[in-house]
Amino acid sequence: MTFRDHAPLSVLDLAPISEGSDPAAALHNTIDLAQHAEQWGYRRYWVAEHHFAAVASSVPALLIGQIASATRSIRVGSAAVQVGQTTAVSVAESFGMLDVFHPGRIDLGLGRSGQRRAEAAATPAGPVAISAPSASRLVDGVVIPEPVDVTALLAHSPLARSFEVLTQPGAQPPHFDEQVDDILSLLDGTYTSPSGQQLHAVPGEGADVQVWIFGSSKGQSAHVAGARGLPFAANYHVSPGTTREAVAAYRQAFRPSSVLAEPYVVVSADVVVADDDDTARHLANGYGRWVHSIRTGHGAIEYPDPATAQPLPADELALVADRLETQFVGSPDTVVQRLAALGRLTDADELVITSVTHDHADRLRSHELLAKAWGLI
């Protein structure tokens, strides 16, 4: 499929907690934004899974149920359930229950971040610092930075140490491909336990949920999605230096399935839209400090107020330069041009945008302006 400049747009939300606010306000803001996103013509509303950070989307299935109950038609889902921190049965049953109450509207996104942290935790101790990315390239209007190696961060940071309380003591998550296969077989009623017993997820079996695989590189996630004929979401907003390789690996591995006859790719982007470029840049003023808190393994801080956010010193700025230069900030026309270029470069079938600002009204405005400029409304 060839990308159309006005292909569908969807929303990815973390339920961010703003400086001076609290989780309750963040969650109510998520419901409000989802209701508006539905009115403005966005196709899906996805929520991410994060723990021990100033974002409130820690239990995707529970939040998805609340969002779906507050909306009527928009698809609602996870981006993504971290399967390394749960079991295939729990995933199938919880999303099966969501499907009972909201049939045909639920997306089940699966990610392997939990496995990545477990694998990294088993590596020998080493330096915690991550290297700053080198110079970026401009490819057909899209900024492509050099990939940032976060291996040391995953293995030896506060984020990594939190993994021990996200799983049962001594638990070893199965390989990602095995867990995906277990979830798929539980949903289609063909699951057999390691001991040979046929088991049926209730609810879950026969659920009309759409399964997605999320990935940031050309590694296992892209291959699992392609080999099983599932749709793939590539995280440009998280790892912009590896998105093209991830999409290419998925397409190369793709085999037609009962779900898809050909590959289907969604690409994410971090966006702040305002009436003019200067206003948008002001609203995005705290983004660098927020991303730095994530990338250094301390978890997202409360999103800074742009009026008081302090600039990062040069060494810290270098660690997040790739994320800053790949955030789409500006007027509607500025952002639409950049999003269209990203879609064409990756030949995406759909784009999913995440937009974080300190004030909820500014975040609503960002999504509304983009929807109008993109032709959704």
Side-chain angles (χ1 to χ4, degrees):
M1 176 177 179
T2 301
F3 177 78
R4 296 172 289 117
D5 285 1
H6 299 291
L9 286 185
S10 295
V11 175
L12 168 59
D13 185 17
L14 283 68
I17 301 170
S18 294
E19 189 175 49
S21 188
D22 55 42
L27 291 169
H28 285 294
N29 288 342
T30 281
I31 299 297
D32 185 52
L33 177 57
Q35 291 172 325
H36 281 88
E38 181 175 69
Q39 296 171 16
W40 294 330
Y42 288 92
R43 174 171 287 188
R44 311 171 198 277
Y45 198 96
W46 285 343
V47 293
E49 179 180 347
H50 291 274
H51 302 276
F52 307 115
V55 294
S57 57
S58 54
V59 189
L62 186 57
L63 184 52
I64 289 165
Q66 296 296 314
I67 295 169
S69 294
T71 54
R72 295 183 177 182
S73 59
I74 193 170
R75 295 193 67 91
V76 187
S78 55
V81 171
Q82 301 307 322
V83 294
Q85 296 160 189
T86 186
T87 65
V89 175
S90 294
V91 174
E93 290 176 345
S94 59
F95 278 78
M97 188 171 292
L98 287 169
D99 179 67
V100 168
F101 292 107
H102 311 286
R105 292 182 56 200
I106 303 301
D107 291 341
L108 169 53
L110 305 174
R112 69 177 301 268
S113 292
Q115 273 96 341
R116 290 182 65 206
R117 284 195 289 273
E119 292 160 5
T123 62
V128 176
I130 60 175
S131 59
S134 55
S136 301
R137 297 172 294 137
L138 192 65
V139 181
D140 296 338
V142 179
V143 176
I144 306 295
E146 289 297 317
V148 176
D149 184 4
V150 296
T151 303
L153 167 64
L154 287 172
H156 311 295
S157 71
L159 175 66
R161 291 191 292 273
S162 71
F163 183 76
E164 64 188 10
V165 298
L166 292 172
T167 57
Q168 293 292 339
Q172 293 295 323
H175 290 295
F176 182 65
D177 55 348
E178 295 174 0
Q179 203 157 13
V180 170
D181 287 341
D182 286 347
I183 292 169
L184 294 175
S185 62
L186 284 162
L187 292 173
D188 67 22
T190 61
Y191 179 78
T192 301
S193 73
S195 62
Q197 182 179 2
Q198 291 186 344
L199 297 173
H200 302 277
V202 182
E205 187 171 310
D208 184 18
V209 299
Q210 192 172 94
V211 179
W212 290 74
I213 304 297
F214 285 71
S216 300
S217 71
K218 62 181 180 180
Q220 189 179 23
S221 296
H223 288 276
V224 167
R228 286 151 185 79
L230 298 173
F232 181 64
N235 297 326
Y236 180 79
H237 83 286
V238 172
S239 183
T242 58
T243 299
R244 287 199 303 164
E245 290 79 3
V247 171
Y250 164 69
R251 295 188 187 281
Q252 184 175 7
F254 185 83
R255 298 294 180 268
S257 69
S258 59
V259 177
L260 292 175
E262 59 185 20
Y264 193 94
V265 173
V266 171
V267 176
S268 67
D270 212 310
V271 169
V272 175
V273 187
D275 292 293
D276 57 75
D277 289 347
D278 287 342
T279 301
R281 283 192 288 267
H282 170 72
L283 296 178
N285 192 34
Y287 181 72
R289 188 164 292 280
W290 187 69
V291 171
H292 186 270
S293 69
I294 298 169
R295 181 160 279 181
T296 53
H298 294 85
I301 59 173
E302 293 182 352
Y303 199 84
D305 185 334
T308 57
Q310 297 298 310
L312 290 170
D315 59 334
E316 295 181 359
L317 183 63
L319 294 180
V320 297
D322 62 319
R323 293 285 300 275
L324 289 173
E325 62 186 349
T326 55
Q327 187 187 29
F328 296 5
V329 178
S331 68
D333 287 344
T334 298
V335 173
V336 163
Q337 290 176 12
R338 291 188 64 189
L339 281 175
L342 176 65
R344 288 191 295 268
L345 183 67
T346 57
D347 197 16
D349 298 280
E350 188 175 331
L351 296 175
V352 58
I353 62 105
T354 179
S355 186
V356 183
T357 59
H358 178 268
D359 291 349
H360 181 58
D362 292 324
R363 194 158 71 118
L364 287 175
R365 182 68 172 159
S366 179
H367 287 83
E368 182 183 15
L369 288 172
L370 179 58
K372 289 179 177 178
W374 197 259
L376 300 183
I377 52 177

Short mmCIF file of all heavy atoms in Angstrom, two decimals, residues 246-300:
data_model
loop_
_atom_site.label_atom_id
_atom_site.label_comp_id
_atom_site.label_asym_id
_atom_site.label_seq_id
_atom_site.Cartn_x
_atom_site.Cartn_y
_atom_site.Cartn_z
N ALA A 246 13.18 -1.28 11.26
CA ALA A 246 12.13 -2.10 11.86
C ALA A 246 11.03 -2.40 10.87
O ALA A 246 10.56 -3.54 10.75
CB ALA A 246 11.57 -1.38 13.09
N VAL A 247 10.59 -1.37 10.14
CA VAL A 247 9.54 -1.56 9.14
C VAL A 247 10.01 -2.50 8.03
O VAL A 247 9.25 -3.39 7.59
CB VAL A 247 9.09 -0.20 8.58
CG1 VAL A 247 8.14 -0.39 7.40
CG2 VAL A 247 8.41 0.63 9.67
N ALA A 248 11.24 -2.31 7.59
CA ALA A 248 11.76 -3.17 6.52
C ALA A 248 11.83 -4.63 6.96
O ALA A 248 11.50 -5.55 6.20
CB ALA A 248 13.14 -2.68 6.08
N ALA A 249 12.27 -4.85 8.21
CA ALA A 249 12.37 -6.22 8.72
C ALA A 249 10.99 -6.85 8.82
O ALA A 249 10.80 -8.04 8.51
CB ALA A 249 13.05 -6.22 10.09
N TYR A 250 10.02 -6.08 9.25
CA TYR A 250 8.64 -6.59 9.33
C TYR A 250 8.13 -6.97 7.94
O TYR A 250 7.57 -8.06 7.76
CB TYR A 250 7.75 -5.52 9.96
CG TYR A 250 6.27 -5.75 9.74
CD1 TYR A 250 5.60 -6.81 10.36
CD2 TYR A 250 5.52 -4.89 8.93
CE1 TYR A 250 4.24 -7.01 10.17
CE2 TYR A 250 4.16 -5.09 8.74
CZ TYR A 250 3.52 -6.15 9.35
OH TYR A 250 2.18 -6.36 9.16
N ARG A 251 8.31 -6.10 6.98
CA ARG A 251 7.82 -6.39 5.63
C ARG A 251 8.52 -7.62 5.05
O ARG A 251 7.88 -8.45 4.38
CB ARG A 251 8.04 -5.18 4.71
CG ARG A 251 7.21 -3.96 5.11
CD ARG A 251 7.33 -2.86 4.06
NE ARG A 251 6.69 -1.64 4.48
CZ ARG A 251 5.38 -1.40 4.44
NH1 ARG A 251 4.57 -2.35 3.99
NH2 ARG A 251 4.89 -0.25 4.85
N GLN A 252 9.80 -7.74 5.29
CA GLN A 252 10.54 -8.89 4.76
C GLN A 252 10.07 -10.20 5.40
O GLN A 252 10.00 -11.24 4.74
CB GLN A 252 12.04 -8.70 5.00
CG GLN A 252 12.90 -9.80 4.40
CD GLN A 252 14.38 -9.53 4.56
OE1 GLN A 252 14.78 -8.59 5.23
NE2 GLN A 252 15.21 -10.34 3.92
N ALA A 253 9.72 -10.14 6.68
CA ALA A 253 9.30 -11.35 7.39
C ALA A 253 7.82 -11.68 7.17
O ALA A 253 7.38 -12.77 7.54
CB ALA A 253 9.57 -11.18 8.89
N PHE A 254 7.07 -10.77 6.58
CA PHE A 254 5.62 -10.93 6.53
C PHE A 254 5.18 -12.15 5.72
O PHE A 254 5.67 -12.42 4.64
CB PHE A 254 4.97 -9.68 5.93
CG PHE A 254 3.47 -9.73 5.97
CD1 PHE A 254 2.78 -9.36 7.11
CD2 PHE A 254 2.74 -10.19 4.87
CE1 PHE A 254 1.39 -9.43 7.16
CE2 PHE A 254 1.36 -10.25 4.91
CZ PHE A 254 0.68 -9.88 6.06
N ARG A 255 4.23 -12.85 6.33
CA ARG A 255 3.56 -13.96 5.65
C ARG A 255 2.06 -13.73 5.78
O ARG A 255 1.57 -13.46 6.88
CB ARG A 255 3.95 -15.30 6.29
CG ARG A 255 5.42 -15.63 6.21
CD ARG A 255 5.88 -15.85 4.77
NE ARG A 255 7.31 -16.17 4.70
CZ ARG A 255 8.27 -15.27 4.55
NH1 ARG A 255 7.96 -13.97 4.51
NH2 ARG A 255 9.53 -15.63 4.49
N PRO A 256 1.30 -13.84 4.68
CA PRO A 256 -0.16 -13.62 4.77
C PRO A 256 -0.79 -14.56 5.79
O PRO A 256 -0.35 -15.69 6.00
CB PRO A 256 -0.63 -13.95 3.34
CG PRO A 256 0.57 -13.71 2.47
CD PRO A 256 1.75 -14.13 3.31
N SER A 257 -1.84 -14.05 6.43
CA SER A 257 -2.52 -14.81 7.48
C SER A 257 -4.02 -14.61 7.34
O SER A 257 -4.50 -13.89 6.46
CB SER A 257 -2.05 -14.33 8.86
OG SER A 257 -2.54 -13.01 9.10
N SER A 258 -4.76 -15.23 8.24
CA SER A 258 -6.20 -15.01 8.26
C SER A 258 -6.54 -13.59 8.70
O SER A 258 -7.67 -13.12 8.52
CB SER A 258 -6.87 -16.01 9.22
OG SER A 258 -6.36 -15.85 10.54
N VAL A 259 -5.56 -12.90 9.26
CA VAL A 259 -5.75 -11.53 9.72
C VAL A 259 -5.46 -10.52 8.62
O VAL A 259 -6.23 -9.59 8.36
CB VAL A 259 -4.86 -11.24 10.95
CG1 VAL A 259 -4.99 -9.78 11.40
CG2 VAL A 259 -5.20 -12.18 12.09
N LEU A 260 -4.34 -10.69 7.94
CA LEU A 260 -3.89 -9.75 6.92
C LEU A 260 -3.41 -10.49 5.69
O LEU A 260 -2.68 -11.49 5.79
CB LEU A 260 -2.74 -8.89 7.45
CG LEU A 260 -3.02 -7.88 8.56
CD1 LEU A 260 -1.71 -7.23 9.00
CD2 LEU A 260 -4.01 -6.82 8.10
N ALA A 261 -3.76 -9.95 4.52
CA ALA A 261 -3.23 -10.48 3.27
C ALA A 261 -1.91 -9.81 2.90
O ALA A 261 -1.12 -10.37 2.14
CB ALA A 261 -4.25 -10.27 2.15
N GLU A 262 -1.67 -8.63 3.44
CA GLU A 262 -0.44 -7.90 3.18
C GLU A 262 -0.06 -7.11 4.42
O GLU A 262 -0.90 -6.92 5.32
CB GLU A 262 -0.62 -6.96 1.97
CG GLU A 262 -1.73 -5.96 2.13
CD GLU A 262 -1.94 -5.13 0.87
OE1 GLU A 262 -1.53 -5.57 -0.21
OE2 GLU A 262 -2.53 -4.04 0.99
N PRO A 263 1.18 -6.66 4.50
CA PRO A 263 1.61 -5.95 5.72
C PRO A 263 0.77 -4.71 6.01
O PRO A 263 0.25 -4.07 5.09
CB PRO A 263 3.06 -5.57 5.39
CG PRO A 263 3.49 -6.53 4.33
CD PRO A 263 2.27 -6.81 3.52
N TYR A 264 0.66 -4.42 7.29
CA TYR A 264 -0.02 -3.19 7.72
C TYR A 264 0.85 -2.54 8.79
O TYR A 264 1.13 -3.15 9.83
CB TYR A 264 -1.41 -3.48 8.28
CG TYR A 264 -2.26 -2.24 8.45
CD1 TYR A 264 -3.14 -1.84 7.45
CD2 TYR A 264 -2.16 -1.44 9.60
CE1 TYR A 264 -3.92 -0.69 7.59
CE2 TYR A 264 -2.92 -0.30 9.74
CZ TYR A 264 -3.81 0.08 8.74
OH TYR A 264 -4.57 1.21 8.87
N VAL A 265 1.26 -1.30 8.52
CA VAL A 265 2.23 -0.62 9.37
C VAL A 265 1.64 0.69 9.90
O VAL A 265 1.11 1.50 9.14
CB VAL A 265 3.52 -0.31 8.59
CG1 VAL A 265 4.47 0.55 9.42
CG2 VAL A 265 4.21 -1.60 8.17
N VAL A 266 1.76 0.86 11.20
CA VAL A 266 1.49 2.14 11.85
C VAL A 266 2.81 2.68 12.38
O VAL A 266 3.61 1.93 12.96
CB VAL A 266 0.49 1.98 13.00
CG1 VAL A 266 0.38 3.27 13.79
CG2 VAL A 266 -0.89 1.60 12.48
N VAL A 267 3.06 3.96 12.17
CA VAL A 267 4.28 4.60 12.65
C VAL A 267 3.89 5.73 13.60
O VAL A 267 2.97 6.50 13.33
CB VAL A 267 5.13 5.14 11.49
CG1 VAL A 267 6.36 5.89 12.01
CG2 VAL A 267 5.56 4.00 10.57
N SER A 268 4.58 5.80 14.74
CA SER A 268 4.27 6.80 15.75
C SER A 268 5.11 8.06 15.58
O SER A 268 6.21 8.03 15.02
CB SER A 268 4.51 6.22 17.15
OG SER A 268 5.90 5.98 17.34
N ALA A 269 4.57 9.16 16.09
CA ALA A 269 5.31 10.43 16.09
C ALA A 269 4.90 11.26 17.29
O ALA A 269 3.74 11.22 17.71
CB ALA A 269 5.03 11.20 14.80
N ASP A 270 5.86 11.99 17.84
CA ASP A 270 5.60 12.89 18.96
C ASP A 270 5.31 14.28 18.41
O ASP A 270 6.10 14.83 17.64
CB ASP A 270 6.83 12.94 19.88
CG ASP A 270 6.43 13.15 21.33
OD1 ASP A 270 5.64 14.08 21.58
OD2 ASP A 270 6.89 12.38 22.18
N VAL A 271 4.17 14.86 18.79
CA VAL A 271 3.64 16.04 18.12
C VAL A 271 3.20 17.09 19.13
O VAL A 271 2.60 16.75 20.15
CB VAL A 271 2.43 15.63 17.24
CG1 VAL A 271 1.68 16.85 16.73
CG2 VAL A 271 2.89 14.76 16.08
N VAL A 272 3.48 18.35 18.85
CA VAL A 272 2.85 19.47 19.55
C VAL A 272 2.44 20.48 18.49
O VAL A 272 3.29 21.02 17.76
CB VAL A 272 3.79 20.14 20.57
CG1 VAL A 272 3.11 21.38 21.17
CG2 VAL A 272 4.16 19.17 21.68
N VAL A 273 1.15 20.73 18.39
CA VAL A 273 0.60 21.66 17.40
C VAL A 273 -0.03 22.83 18.13
O VAL A 273 -0.73 22.65 19.12
CB VAL A 273 -0.45 20.97 16.50
CG1 VAL A 273 -0.87 21.89 15.38
CG2 VAL A 273 0.10 19.66 15.94
N ALA A 274 0.22 24.02 17.61
CA ALA A 274 -0.42 25.22 18.14
C ALA A 274 -0.75 26.12 16.95
O ALA A 274 -0.48 25.78 15.79
CB ALA A 274 0.49 25.94 19.13
N ASP A 275 -1.34 27.27 17.23
CA ASP A 275 -1.76 28.14 16.14
C ASP A 275 -0.59 28.65 15.31
O ASP A 275 -0.76 28.97 14.13
CB ASP A 275 -2.58 29.31 16.69
CG ASP A 275 -3.91 28.85 17.26
OD1 ASP A 275 -4.77 28.41 16.47
OD2 ASP A 275 -4.10 28.91 18.48
N ASP A 276 0.58 28.75 15.91
CA ASP A 276 1.76 29.19 15.17
C ASP A 276 2.98 28.48 15.71
O ASP A 276 2.95 27.89 16.80
CB ASP A 276 1.92 30.72 15.24
CG ASP A 276 1.99 31.22 16.68
OD1 ASP A 276 3.05 31.03 17.32
OD2 ASP A 276 0.99 31.77 17.18
N ASP A 277 4.08 28.55 14.95
CA ASP A 277 5.30 27.82 15.32
C ASP A 277 5.86 28.27 16.66
O ASP A 277 6.30 27.44 17.47
CB ASP A 277 6.36 28.01 14.23
CG ASP A 277 6.03 27.28 12.94
OD1 ASP A 277 5.12 26.42 12.96
OD2 ASP A 277 6.68 27.55 11.91
N ASP A 278 5.86 29.58 16.92
CA ASP A 278 6.45 30.08 18.16
C ASP A 278 5.68 29.57 19.38
O ASP A 278 6.29 29.18 20.39
CB ASP A 278 6.47 31.61 18.16
CG ASP A 278 7.52 32.19 17.22
OD1 ASP A 278 8.44 31.43 16.83
OD2 ASP A 278 7.40 33.37 16.87
N THR A 279 4.36 29.58 19.31
CA THR A 279 3.57 29.09 20.43
C THR A 279 3.82 27.61 20.67
O THR A 279 3.95 27.16 21.81
CB THR A 279 2.07 29.34 20.18
OG1 THR A 279 1.85 30.74 20.01
CG2 THR A 279 1.23 28.84 21.35
N ALA A 280 3.88 26.85 19.59
CA ALA A 280 4.13 25.41 19.72
C ALA A 280 5.48 25.16 20.36
O ALA A 280 5.62 24.28 21.23
CB ALA A 280 4.04 24.74 18.35
N ARG A 281 6.50 25.90 19.93
CA ARG A 281 7.84 25.71 20.51
C ARG A 281 7.82 26.04 22.00
O ARG A 281 8.49 25.37 22.80
CB ARG A 281 8.86 26.57 19.76
CG ARG A 281 9.27 25.98 18.42
CD ARG A 281 10.49 26.70 17.86
NE ARG A 281 10.15 28.04 17.40
CZ ARG A 281 9.82 28.35 16.15
NH1 ARG A 281 9.76 27.40 15.23
NH2 ARG A 281 9.54 29.59 15.81
N HIS A 282 7.07 27.05 22.39
CA HIS A 282 6.97 27.38 23.82
C HIS A 282 6.31 26.23 24.58
O HIS A 282 6.79 25.84 25.65
CB HIS A 282 6.17 28.66 24.01
CG HIS A 282 5.82 28.93 25.44
ND1 HIS A 282 6.74 29.33 26.38
CD2 HIS A 282 4.62 28.83 26.11
CE1 HIS A 282 6.16 29.47 27.55
NE2 HIS A 282 4.87 29.16 27.43
N LEU A 283 5.23 25.68 24.06
CA LEU A 283 4.53 24.59 24.75
C LEU A 283 5.41 23.36 24.89
O LEU A 283 5.24 22.58 25.84
CB LEU A 283 3.25 24.24 23.99
CG LEU A 283 2.18 25.32 23.92
CD1 LEU A 283 0.99 24.84 23.10
CD2 LEU A 283 1.73 25.74 25.31
N ALA A 284 6.33 23.17 23.95
CA ALA A 284 7.23 22.01 23.97
C ALA A 284 8.49 22.26 24.78
O ALA A 284 9.40 21.41 24.80
CB ALA A 284 7.60 21.61 22.54
N ASN A 285 8.54 23.37 25.49
CA ASN A 285 9.75 23.79 26.18
C ASN A 285 10.24 22.79 27.22
O ASN A 285 11.44 22.67 27.46
CB ASN A 285 9.52 25.15 26.84
CG ASN A 285 10.80 25.80 27.33
OD1 ASN A 285 11.85 25.65 26.72
ND2 ASN A 285 10.70 26.52 28.43
N GLY A 286 9.32 22.06 27.87
CA GLY A 286 9.74 21.12 28.91
C GLY A 286 10.00 19.72 28.42
O GLY A 286 10.37 18.83 29.21
N TYR A 287 9.85 19.49 27.13
CA TYR A 287 9.94 18.13 26.58
C TYR A 287 11.32 17.52 26.79
O TYR A 287 11.44 16.34 27.16
CB TYR A 287 9.60 18.17 25.10
CG TYR A 287 9.62 16.83 24.41
CD1 TYR A 287 8.63 15.89 24.65
CD2 TYR A 287 10.63 16.51 23.50
CE1 TYR A 287 8.63 14.67 24.00
CE2 TYR A 287 10.64 15.30 22.85
CZ TYR A 287 9.65 14.38 23.10
OH TYR A 287 9.66 13.16 22.46
N GLY A 288 12.38 18.28 26.58
CA GLY A 288 13.73 17.74 26.71
C GLY A 288 14.02 17.23 28.11
O GLY A 288 14.58 16.14 28.29
N ARG A 289 13.62 17.99 29.11
CA ARG A 289 13.85 17.56 30.49
C ARG A 289 13.02 16.32 30.82
O ARG A 289 13.46 15.43 31.53
CB ARG A 289 13.53 18.71 31.45
CG ARG A 289 13.90 18.45 32.88
CD ARG A 289 13.93 19.73 33.68
NE ARG A 289 15.00 20.62 33.27
CZ ARG A 289 16.27 20.48 33.64
NH1 ARG A 289 16.62 19.47 34.42
NH2 ARG A 289 17.19 21.33 33.24
N TRP A 290 11.81 16.27 30.28
CA TRP A 290 10.92 15.10 30.51
C TRP A 290 11.52 13.85 29.87
O TRP A 290 11.61 12.79 30.51
CB TRP A 290 9.56 15.42 29.91
CG TRP A 290 8.48 14.42 30.19
CD1 TRP A 290 7.87 14.16 31.39
CD2 TRP A 290 7.84 13.58 29.23
NE1 TRP A 290 6.89 13.20 31.24
CE2 TRP A 290 6.85 12.84 29.92
CE3 TRP A 290 7.98 13.39 27.86
CZ2 TRP A 290 6.02 11.91 29.28
CZ3 TRP A 290 7.15 12.48 27.21
CH2 TRP A 290 6.19 11.74 27.93
N VAL A 291 11.98 13.95 28.63
CA VAL A 291 12.59 12.81 27.95
C VAL A 291 13.88 12.39 28.63
O VAL A 291 14.18 11.20 28.76
CB VAL A 291 12.85 13.13 26.46
CG1 VAL A 291 13.67 12.03 25.80
CG2 VAL A 291 11.52 13.31 25.72
N HIS A 292 14.66 13.35 29.11
CA HIS A 292 15.90 13.03 29.80
C HIS A 292 15.63 12.19 31.04
O HIS A 292 16.37 11.25 31.35
CB HIS A 292 16.65 14.31 30.18
CG HIS A 292 18.01 14.08 30.76
ND1 HIS A 292 18.22 13.91 32.11
CD2 HIS A 292 19.22 13.94 30.16
CE1 HIS A 292 19.51 13.72 32.33
NE2 HIS A 292 20.14 13.72 31.17
N SER A 293 14.57 12.49 31.76
CA SER A 293 14.24 11.71 32.95
C SER A 293 13.90 10.27 32.60
O SER A 293 14.20 9.34 33.35
CB SER A 293 13.07 12.35 33.70
OG SER A 293 11.85 12.25 32.98
N ILE A 294 13.30 10.07 31.44
CA ILE A 294 12.96 8.72 30.98
C ILE A 294 14.21 7.99 30.51
O ILE A 294 14.48 6.85 30.91
CB ILE A 294 11.93 8.79 29.83
CG1 ILE A 294 10.63 9.44 30.31
CG2 ILE A 294 11.66 7.39 29.27
CD1 ILE A 294 9.66 9.78 29.19
N ARG A 295 14.98 8.65 29.69
CA ARG A 295 16.13 8.00 29.06
C ARG A 295 17.23 7.65 30.06
O ARG A 295 17.97 6.68 29.86
CB ARG A 295 16.68 8.89 27.94
CG ARG A 295 17.86 8.26 27.22
CD ARG A 295 18.08 8.88 25.86
NE ARG A 295 17.17 8.32 24.85
CZ ARG A 295 17.15 8.68 23.57
NH1 ARG A 295 17.97 9.63 23.15
NH2 ARG A 295 16.33 8.11 22.72
N THR A 296 17.33 8.37 31.14
CA THR A 296 18.35 8.06 32.14
C THR A 296 17.87 7.04 33.16
O THR A 296 18.57 6.74 34.13
CB THR A 296 18.82 9.33 32.86
OG1 THR A 296 17.69 10.03 33.39
CG2 THR A 296 19.59 10.24 31.91
N GLY A 297 16.67 6.50 32.95
CA GLY A 297 16.22 5.37 33.75
C GLY A 297 15.54 5.72 35.05
O GLY A 297 15.34 4.84 35.89
N HIS A 298 15.16 6.97 35.24
CA HIS A 298 14.50 7.36 36.48
C HIS A 298 12.98 7.41 36.33
O HIS A 298 12.27 7.62 37.31
CB HIS A 298 15.01 8.74 36.94
CG HIS A 298 16.46 8.73 37.33
ND1 HIS A 298 17.48 8.88 36.42
CD2 HIS A 298 17.06 8.53 38.53
CE1 HIS A 298 18.64 8.80 37.05
NE2 HIS A 298 18.42 8.60 38.33
N GLY A 299 12.50 7.20 35.14
CA GLY A 299 11.07 7.28 34.90
C GLY A 299 10.65 8.71 34.62
O GLY A 299 11.30 9.68 35.05
N ALA A 300 9.55 8.85 33.89
CA ALA A 300 9.08 10.18 33.52
C ALA A 300 8.77 11.02 34.75
O ALA A 300 8.07 10.59 35.66
CB ALA A 300 7.84 10.07 32.64
#
